[in-house]
Amino acid sequence: KQVLDMLKSFPESIKTAVPEFKGLEKLLVDVKQLDGNTLRAFVETSGVAFETKLKIAVMNDPQSLFQKILAMQSEGDLKWLLLKIGSMLKDADVVQALKQKGFKISEVSDMVEKFTRNIEFFQVTSKINDMFYTFLPVLWNEPRDGEFLFKKQKGDKRDSYTCDINLELAKIGKLSVS
C-alpha cells in the first residue's frame, strides 16, 4: 500500500519522464481486481516463466536467440521493470526531478530493492524445489501472511485444477482452504 501511495503521489511529469513508474503502478493489483485473467497474465509474464521460454528458444534456434529474447521480454515482468527503475534511479536527471518534488531517493530505492529481493527469493525457491513460485503483490489489508498454491493434475480424459489457500488474517488468525 505504501508503494502504491508513493507511486500515485508522483507528479504526472515524473510518470511521463519515467514511464516505468506507471507500469509498476499498474502491476500492483487490489484484491478486488484479482481474477483468473489477472493471475494468468501475471504468472505468464513472470521471470520464472520467462526463463522457461528462454530455455525453449535456446534449444529450438540458438542462432536467433538475441532477437527472441527481446521479443519475449514483456513489460509485465515485474522484476525487469524494477531493475530498469533501479538503474534509472542512478540517472542524475531522474534523481534531481524526484528531489525537486520532495521525494527521498533512498526511500524510492529501498522500495525497489525490497520488491526485487522478494521476487528473487521466489525465483531461488522455484529452482531449489523444482516448482514454480512467484511473487504477486496484491493490495489487501487483512493478511499478515499467505500463499496460494495452484496445482494442475493431468487425468485420462481432462486436466483438473486445485487451489490451496493458506492465510493468516489480522482479525481471524490462521485459515486454510482447499
Side-chain angles (χ1 to χ4, degrees):
K1 180 91 173 94
Q2 292 171 332
V3 171
L4 184 60
D5 291 344
M6 181 188 298
L7 290 169
K8 286 187 175 186
S9 69
F10 286 173
E12 199 57 40
S13 60
I14 289 178
K15 290 180 187 180
T16 301
V18 185
E20 289 78 8
F21 286 134
K22 280 185 183 179
L24 182 57
E25 190 176 330
K26 288 178 188 175
L27 289 176
L28 300 176
V29 179
D30 189 283
V31 72
K32 295 172 190 157
Q33 300 168 317
L34 200 58
D35 63 14
N37 292 331
T38 305
L39 282 172
R40 181 180 182 157
F42 196 88
V43 169
E44 287 179 348
T45 59
S46 73
V48 175
F50 177 70
E51 288 173 11
T52 302
K53 291 177 189 174
L54 185 58
K55 287 176 187 174
I56 292 168
V58 169
M59 291 185 322
N60 289 338
D61 186 6
Q63 298 300 328
S64 61
L65 177 61
F66 182 70
Q67 292 160 342
K68 288 182 180 183
I69 290 172
L70 294 177
M72 287 188 302
Q73 185 58 51
S74 167
E75 291 182 17
D77 183 346
L78 184 57
K79 184 177 178 184
W80 175 79
L81 192 57
L82 290 166
L83 292 173
K84 196 167 180 184
I85 289 171
S87 69
M88 293 176 118
L89 290 174
K90 295 174 184 162
D91 181 281
D93 293 333
V94 172
V95 169
Q96 187 60 32
L98 287 168
K99 282 183 179 179
Q100 285 178 345
K101 299 296 183 179
F103 293 97
K104 293 182 180 175
I105 297 305
S106 62
E107 287 179 4
V108 178
S109 258
D110 288 348
M111 175 259 312
V112 169
E113 181 64 27
K114 180 180 177 181
F115 269 70
T116 304
R117 278 193 314 257
N118 277 312
I119 292 166
E120 289 172 347
F121 168 79
F122 286 101
Q123 287 176 320
V124 169
T125 302
S126 291
K127 293 285 185 194
I128 290 171
N129 295 310
D130 195 28
M131 294 180 77
F132 184 83
Y133 292 87
T134 190
F135 174 71
L136 176 64
V138 176
L139 303 172
W140 189 9
N141 293 332
E142 292 301 315
R144 287 189 185 137
D145 192 18
E147 64 181 5
F148 293 77
L149 305 168
F150 298 94
K151 299 174 189 168
K152 179 179 178 180
Q153 298 161 334
K154 295 189 182 252
D156 291 339
K157 295 184 182 182
R158 64 181 195 175
D159 297 340
S160 65
Y161 300 87
T162 60
C163 176
D164 296 328
I165 302 171
N166 299 305
L167 296 173
E168 183 178 345
L169 301 175
K171 295 179 184 176
I172 299 174
K174 289 190 179 188
L175 174 70
S176 290
V177 180
S178 283

